[in-house]
Amino acid sequence: MERGCGILLPVSSLPNKYGFGCFSDEAYEFVDYLEELGMKYWQVLPLGGVDAVGSPYSSVSAFAGEPLYIDIESILDEEEIDFFKLSSNLPLAEFRKRKTEALRYVFDKLYYSTNIDKFIEENEEWVYDYAVYMVLKDELGVNYSNFPPEYKNIDSDQTIEFIKSHSEEIIYYIFLQYLFFKQWKELKAYANSKGIKIIGDVPIYCSMDSVDMYANTKCFLMDEDTGKPSYVSGVPGDYFNPEGQIWNNPLYDYEYMKMRNYQWWVQRIKHQSKLYDFIRIDHFRGFESYFAVPYGDTDISRGRWFKGPGIDLFDEFKKNRIHNLIAEDLGEITDDVRELRKKSGLAGMKVMQFAFDGDSKNIHLPHEYEKNSVAYLGTHDNDTFMGFLKDRAAKNRICEYLNLPFNVSDEIVTHMAIENIISTNSNVSIITMQDILCEGSEARINTPGTGDGNWKYRLNPNYAKNKYNKYLKYLIKVKNR
């Protein structure tokens, strides 16, 4: 990756008068802002479907995009949009209901004048299965694990009859994907024309409620008698959650995948490479070994470690000319995981918030950063840096490291930390918008292991007028970013 600086901001957090960021004019204005500062990267997080609380890490498809990101303002006039009563004060479930009604209206208005045959042809490996699954979910009112047996097989006689009788609904879901990819492709091309590369995110696991489980059942560890997963994902205690977590994602059958040269994973990453210039793979350590909890357990006490695919998978990526990956190598990392990243050649991550535990050899201390890495003050899973500084002991250690008086303001410490992260040896430095704006814990995007208050951050529309921007632009220039 070229030496440069970037900003982490999910598309959903972009300013929008309706409250949920999308591929609207505001997205293009944000790209202009990045260009004005001299930024070279925009990290957007996953663009797949968001769940009931807005998280993009539990998508209904590893391939499809979230329809809520579709910009309807470029398609409908103001009077048409007003009919659906969209507003920034709506809970996500109600917003989704109303925007879905608006998107259905867009479909009725545009579909018969739109040629989507080429899109279907280019995405036939996944888009049809996705559309069928979404219509089945709508009609049955349950997710895959609770489908009646006669519908659990996409090739069953009952499913085929269902497809024949629901052709318009299936075409509707394909149309939404056509519109999503058309608009994102245009936005990405605009960013690239401004010299800005997009860093995306691929969650390592699929959702229990996903077309991936439905259409590729053999790729997952399943109990043949019950038709349920035999194990689900989790993690022992770590920085984010000392008591450990059960994520409840189905786990991959890597033995089956290996016999097929990891075709599903290769197809997935090739597809994501059309969306992003660089891809951060979430939970990289799960490729070396992964933590598995028996399906149905409510605590991690019976969880155990299994070996992952290791370097075999990354060798397969290289064979298929996939070279744009970043490893999210955070959490409890073993020597085996470090060796896997070294063999794979992937850039790793460094997070300044993890650095100040009193260990002078902590690998997250900025002076320790290797060139082949991406440096952060914090990620979407961390508190904002201003929120982090409320821990006075941590602030004192940071002030000592940065040679600042202990009584200096949190704003000055945050700005000095930004300057420090931009000055590191890492090829890429990424800063969250909240830290640029010196926002507190109320602006945190996500707190792992909690269910409330996450994924609600919306960027202040006046962000481009922030006085710090001028100095930030200067830093990016003089630090050769």
Side-chain angles (χ1 to χ4, degrees):
M1 300 176 73
E2 180 186 4
R3 181 173 174 84
C5 191
I7 289 178
L8 188 160
L9 184 76
V11 171
S12 61
S13 294
L14 287 166
N16 188 281
K17 63 183 177 181
Y18 301 121
F20 193 94
C22 64
F23 306 146
S24 59
D25 288 346
E26 289 85 353
Y28 288 82
E29 291 166 3
F30 185 71
V31 170
D32 292 340
Y33 167 74
L34 294 172
E35 181 193 27
E36 171 61 23
L37 290 180
M39 295 285 183
K40 293 178 182 174
Y41 300 97
W42 176 14
Q43 184 168 344
V44 296
L45 301 189
L47 290 175
V50 302
D51 65 13
V53 298
S55 171
Y57 288 91
S58 188
S59 177
V60 74
S61 170
F63 295 83
E66 170 56 68
L68 293 182
Y69 294 136
I70 295 172
D71 171 34
I72 60 173
E73 291 179 87
S74 61
I75 302 171
L76 306 178
D77 61 37
E78 192 170 341
E79 184 177 349
E80 288 175 307
I81 295 175
D82 286 346
F83 175 81
F84 299 100
K85 296 183 171 57
L86 293 166
S87 107
S88 60
N89 298 319
L90 296 172
L92 180 58
E94 182 61 24
F95 177 83
R96 186 188 291 279
K97 176 177 177 293
R98 297 187 191 184
K99 185 153 186 180
T100 297
E101 292 170 352
L103 289 169
R104 186 74 198 205
Y105 177 78
V106 169
F107 170 71
D108 293 338
K109 181 176 182 177
L110 291 186
Y111 174 70
Y112 293 103
S113 61
T114 302
N115 184 357
I116 66 172
D117 291 345
K118 183 179 179 182
F119 173 78
I120 295 174
E121 181 181 345
E122 291 174 346
N123 296 277
E124 63 181 353
E125 292 178 318
W126 66 270
V127 74
Y128 184 71
D129 290 345
Y130 163 77
V132 170
Y133 182 75
M134 295 303 292
V135 177
L136 276 167
K137 271 172 52 69
D138 290 345
E139 292 294 317
L140 299 174
V142 294
N143 64 28
Y144 167 72
S145 60
N146 293 309
F147 276 12
E150 61 268 25
Y151 290 116
K152 279 206 168 186
N153 185 340
I154 195 170
D155 297 318
S156 71
D157 292 341
Q158 293 89 341
T159 305
I160 291 172
E161 287 302 313
F162 177 90
I163 292 169
K164 290 178 181 177
S165 62
H166 292 79
S167 58
E168 183 174 332
E169 291 91 338
I170 291 169
I171 288 295
Y172 164 69
Y173 276 105
I174 293 176
F175 172 80
L176 292 186
Q177 291 306 303
Y178 160 79
L179 210 52
F180 169 94
F181 282 96
K182 178 179 181 295
Q183 290 190 356
W184 173 248
K185 183 178 179 180
E186 291 168 352
L187 177 57
K188 180 179 180 295
Y190 183 77
N192 289 167
S193 74
K194 301 285 186 177
I196 296 157
K197 302 293 186 182
I198 304 295
I199 301 176
D201 225 13
V202 170
I204 185 173
Y205 295 126
C206 296
S207 170
M208 194 77 74
D209 174 17
S210 71
V211 61
D212 309 289
M213 283 274 288
Y214 175 58
N216 299 280
T217 309
K218 291 183 178 180
C219 288
F220 298 88
L221 292 173
M222 304 291 287
D223 186 313
E224 293 182 3
D225 295 330
T226 65
K228 307 281 187 181
S230 49
Y231 290 91
V232 294
S233 64
V235 65
D238 60 11
Y239 173 89
F240 292 113
N241 196 313
E243 296 179 359
Q245 301 175 62
I246 297 177
W247 295 334
N248 268 322
N249 306 96
L251 295 170
Y252 301 113
D253 186 340
Y254 281 121
E255 289 186 11
Y256 175 86
M257 286 184 160
K258 183 175 183 177
M259 290 189 293
R260 285 151 185 80
N261 299 318
Y262 301 101
Q263 181 182 2
W264 183 87
W265 263 108
V266 170
Q267 179 187 343
R268 182 186 189 189
I269 299 300
K270 279 189 171 182
H271 174 75
Q272 298 295 332
S273 294
K274 298 176 185 177
L275 293 176
Y276 315 118
D277 298 296
F278 296 95
I279 300 169
R280 189 195 83 139
I281 297 187
D282 192 48
H283 196 57
F284 174 80
R285 72 103 57 245
F287 294 109
E288 189 281 319
S289 56
Y290 56 92
F291 195 69
V293 180
Y295 178 75
D297 280 16
T298 57
D299 62 63
I300 66 168
S301 61
R302 293 202 300 149
R304 51 179 290 206
W305 290 97
F306 290 87
K307 292 300 293 183
I311 196 61
D312 288 351
L313 176 60
F314 295 93
D315 285 343
E316 206 62 48
F317 288 156
K318 289 178 182 178
K319 289 178 187 177
N320 285 271
R321 300 180 181 179
I322 296 170
H323 304 287
N324 58 343
L325 305 179
I326 300 167
E328 187 271 291
D329 55 343
L330 305 177
E332 297 297 324
I333 302 301
T334 65
D335 288 341
D336 288 339
V337 179
R338 295 186 188 96
E339 184 63 22
L340 175 60
R341 188 180 72 79
K342 183 179 178 181
K343 286 182 179 179
S344 69
L346 271 61
M349 290 176 58
K350 306 297 180 185
V351 181
M352 188 187 283
Q353 284 195 33
F354 296 161
F356 300 99
D357 59 359
D359 181 359
S360 61
K361 296 182 180 179
N362 189 310
I363 62 171
H364 292 282
L365 285 165
H367 66 269
E368 295 281 357
Y369 295 177
E370 60 190 275
K371 189 175 182 180
N372 188 31
S373 66
V374 182
Y376 298 78
L377 293 188
T379 73
H380 62 281
D381 281 335
N382 291 97
D383 201 346
T384 66
F385 209 75
M386 289 284 287
F388 176 67
L389 291 175
K390 296 305 178 186
D391 180 338
R392 292 296 102 175
K395 179 182 176 180
N396 288 345
R397 286 194 287 268
I398 293 169
C399 286
E400 181 179 25
Y401 184 84
L402 298 175
N403 194 26
L404 294 171
F406 291 161
N407 62 349
V408 71
S409 72
D410 291 353
E411 288 85 355
I412 289 176
V413 178
T414 298
H415 287 160
M416 289 301 297
I418 290 174
E419 181 169 347
N420 193 266
I421 211 79
I422 290 176
S423 303
T424 65
N425 192 42
S426 297
N427 277 343
V428 178
S429 298
I430 300 291
I431 313 164
T432 67
M433 273 305 303
Q434 300 96 309
D435 291 342
I436 291 172
L437 299 175
C438 285
E439 295 179 302
S441 296
E442 73 283 352
R444 182 171 184 164
I445 291 176
N446 182 51
T447 304
T450 65
D452 297 324
N454 296 321
W455 305 103
K456 295 182 178 180
Y457 176 72
R458 299 294 178 262
L459 179 59
N460 186 318
N462 296 316
Y463 65 93
K465 299 178 182 178
N466 181 34
K467 294 180 180 179
Y468 182 62
N469 289 333
K470 184 177 180 180
Y471 186 64
L472 183 57
K473 180 178 181 179
Y474 163 79
L475 281 177
I476 290 170
K477 181 179 179 181
V478 299
K479 301 296 182 180
N480 191 27
R481 286 286 179 192

